[in-house]
């Protein structure tokens, strides 16, 4: 009897020696395993002439199972923030270790010889892939430069539009409004000259003194509306009590409590606890504030006595018979 051997494709132990690789089940499992790997190899072979370079994303960390080597291989080749699609698989297929493992796998499983070349990459093809990878890197850098230039142009355009808006607002504020009166510094200068010229008028007119306008010479278009102090009250800048902290006249005399008292709060809290209990429970409608006498306990059932239930039942029957006799004698 042949020694036991383990087939990784069929995942079973067989005792028929080398004849297992010719069985129908083994041939079917072998073909299915090669069909699963072949699409990935064909996609990597297409990247030999035109390598694609993209920005790195976590999805580029995918791995595929190499049937010949019996190990996982990185599908893409990543370095820093760039990823070369199918670069890792092509590098593995072109390695001499993969070629040796493929020859051994084909010999042990007696696979079709014509399919072996589909799972191998020659050194010439890998050199061609390196050249296309350099071209792909150059084209990727050119695209990135174009994107950066477009972003810079967009930023400059937004900044220019923002400056135009600010300039238009400043110009609109500098134009005097004939209805509200001019607030520009030049108009104040003209007003000052007119006020100073009134000093030549007769003294019996008793005109008010000219206001101090030095604070308006800063160039800001402000309008002076006069002092707004309320006599006798003051404001928060002069140390007076703010109006929202002053007590009302109607509540200043008495000490009125705001809100419910602590006892009312406890009663409401107890009601909220009772609402969570089932409404049909025993004693739900019992009035705890009612006065009860000392004989409120029931006079039957003997629930407060010691002993068995049948004793309470017989005792109850005896008392009932005695009570009936007394009522009949009366």
């Amino acid at each position: 009897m042949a020694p036991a051997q383990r087939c990784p494709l069929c995942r079973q132990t067989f005792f028929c020696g080398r004849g297992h690789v010719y069985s129908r089940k083994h041939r079917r499992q072998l073909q299915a395993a090669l069909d699963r790997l072949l699409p990935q190899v064909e996609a990597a072979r297409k990247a030999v002439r035109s390598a694609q370079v993209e920005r790195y994303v976590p999805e580029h960390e995918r791995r595929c199972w190499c049937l010949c080597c019996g190990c996982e291989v990185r599908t893409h080749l990543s370095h820093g923030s760039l990823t070369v699609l199918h670069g890792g698989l092509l590098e593995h297929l072109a390695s001499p270790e993969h070629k040796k493992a493929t020859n051994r796998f084909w010999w042990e499983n007696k696979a079709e010889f014509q399919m072996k070349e589909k799972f191998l990459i020659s050194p010439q093809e890998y050199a061609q892939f390196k050249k296309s990878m350099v071209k792909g890197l150059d084209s990727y850098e050119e695209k990135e430069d174009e994107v950066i230039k477009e972003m810079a142009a967009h930023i400059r355009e937004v900044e220019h539009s923002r400056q135009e808006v600010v300039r238009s607002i400043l110009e609109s504020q500098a134009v005097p409004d004939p209805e509200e009166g001019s607030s520009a510094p030049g108009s104040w200068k003209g007003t000052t000259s007119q006020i100073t010229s009134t000093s030549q008028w007769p003294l019996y007119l008793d005109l008010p003194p000219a206001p101090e306008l030095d604070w308006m010479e800063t160039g800001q278009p402000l309008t002076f509306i006069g002092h707004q102090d309320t006599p006798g009250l003051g404001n928060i800048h002069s140390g007076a009590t703010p109006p929202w902290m002053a007590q009302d006249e109607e509540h200043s005399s008495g000490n009125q409590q705001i809100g419910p008292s602590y006892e009312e709060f406890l009663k409401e809290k107890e009601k909220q606890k009772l609402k969570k209990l089932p409404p049909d429970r025993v004693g739900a409608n019992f009035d705890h504030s009612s006065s009860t006498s000392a004989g409120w306990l029931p006079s039957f059932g003997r629930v407060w006595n010691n002993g068995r239930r049948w004793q309470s039942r017989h005792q109850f029957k005896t008392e009932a018979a005695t009570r009936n006799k007394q009522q009949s004698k009366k």
Side-chain angles (χ1 to χ4, degrees):
M1 185 176 180
Q5 295 182 2
R6 175 72 179 177
C7 179
L9 291 177
C10 301
R11 297 180 182 179
Q12 68 176 9
T13 304
F14 57 93
F15 300 90
C16 57
R18 295 290 300 171
H20 172 74
V21 297
Y22 299 102
S23 63
R24 183 179 300 176
K25 180 179 180 180
H26 180 80
R27 306 299 295 180
R28 185 170 60 252
Q29 294 291 339
L30 175 62
Q31 189 63 33
L34 294 176
D35 291 341
R36 287 194 298 268
L37 180 61
L38 185 59
Q40 302 179 14
V41 177
E42 290 180 349
R45 192 179 294 275
K46 292 180 181 179
V48 172
R49 297 183 179 179
S50 58
Q52 296 181 4
V53 181
E54 295 182 357
R55 185 178 295 275
Y56 171 79
V57 293
E59 296 179 358
H60 292 160
E61 294 292 338
R62 290 187 307 173
R63 294 176 178 269
C64 64
W65 179 261
C66 181
L67 187 62
C68 303
C69 301
C71 63
E72 286 187 343
V73 181
R74 293 185 60 180
T75 305
H76 308 293
L77 184 62
S78 301
H79 180 72
S81 61
L82 301 180
T83 300
V84 181
L85 299 183
H86 306 288
L89 184 56
L90 287 174
E91 183 180 6
H92 175 75
L93 295 178
S95 62
E97 291 82 6
H98 174 74
K99 186 176 182 180
K100 293 180 181 179
T102 304
N103 293 332
R104 184 176 63 255
F105 179 82
W106 246 255
W107 171 258
E108 292 177 353
N109 295 277
K110 296 297 184 290
E112 297 181 5
F113 182 76
Q114 293 80 6
M115 294 186 62
K116 185 170 67 172
E117 296 299 328
K118 296 181 180 180
F119 296 89
L120 295 175
I121 297 295
S122 61
Q124 294 78 12
E125 292 177 341
Y126 189 66
Q128 185 180 1
F129 169 71
K130 288 182 179 180
K131 294 180 181 179
S132 63
M133 182 174 60
V134 173
K135 294 180 181 179
L137 289 173
D138 295 339
S139 61
Y140 177 80
E141 292 178 356
E142 293 177 359
K143 292 180 181 178
E144 287 293 322
D145 294 340
E146 292 179 358
V147 171
I148 293 174
K149 291 179 181 178
E150 291 179 359
M151 293 176 62
H154 178 68
I155 293 173
R156 285 194 295 268
E157 183 179 357
V158 172
E159 182 66 21
H160 180 71
S161 62
R162 187 185 66 83
Q163 293 179 359
E164 289 293 334
V165 171
V166 174
R167 189 181 297 109
S168 62
I169 294 175
L170 294 177
E171 291 177 356
S172 62
Q173 291 180 355
V175 176
D177 192 354
E179 297 180 358
E180 298 180 359
S182 176
S183 60
S187 61
W188 282 99
K189 292 180 180 178
T191 309
T192 307
S193 61
Q194 294 177 4
I195 294 174
T196 54
S197 63
T198 56
S199 60
Q200 302 176 0
W201 293 356
L203 298 177
Y204 61 84
L205 294 177
D206 195 15
L207 295 174
E212 298 179 0
L213 301 177
D214 296 338
W215 61 279
M216 290 302 301
E217 298 296 335
T218 57
Q220 298 181 358
L222 302 176
T223 303
F224 180 74
I225 59 175
H227 298 284
Q228 302 294 323
D229 293 339
T230 305
L233 295 180
N235 52 26
I236 59 175
H237 302 289
S238 60
T241 304
W244 57 85
M245 296 184 64
Q247 296 182 358
D248 298 338
E249 295 180 358
E250 55 184 5
H251 300 298
S252 58
S253 59
N255 188 10
Q256 184 179 2
Q257 185 178 2
I258 300 176
S261 61
Y262 184 69
E263 291 76 9
E264 294 177 354
F265 170 73
L266 293 179
K267 291 181 181 179
E268 184 65 24
K269 189 175 180 181
E270 189 67 25
K271 290 181 180 179
Q272 295 296 332
K273 288 183 179 179
L274 294 177
K275 286 182 179 180
K276 298 180 181 180
L277 299 176
D280 299 333
R281 67 186 185 278
V282 178
N285 300 325
F286 180 72
D287 188 7
H288 294 272
S289 61
S290 61
S291 60
T292 56
S293 61
W296 68 273
L297 291 173
S299 58
F300 58 89
R302 301 298 185 265
V303 294
W304 305 107
N305 295 342
N306 295 327
R308 300 182 180 180
R309 293 185 179 180
W310 64 269
Q311 295 176 353
S312 299
R313 185 172 66 253
H314 287 292
Q315 190 177 2
F316 174 75
K317 291 180 178 180
T318 303
E319 291 180 358
T322 305
R323 194 181 304 110
N324 293 333
K325 289 180 180 180
Q326 293 178 357
Q327 293 179 357
S328 61
K329 288 180 180 180
K330 293 179 180 180

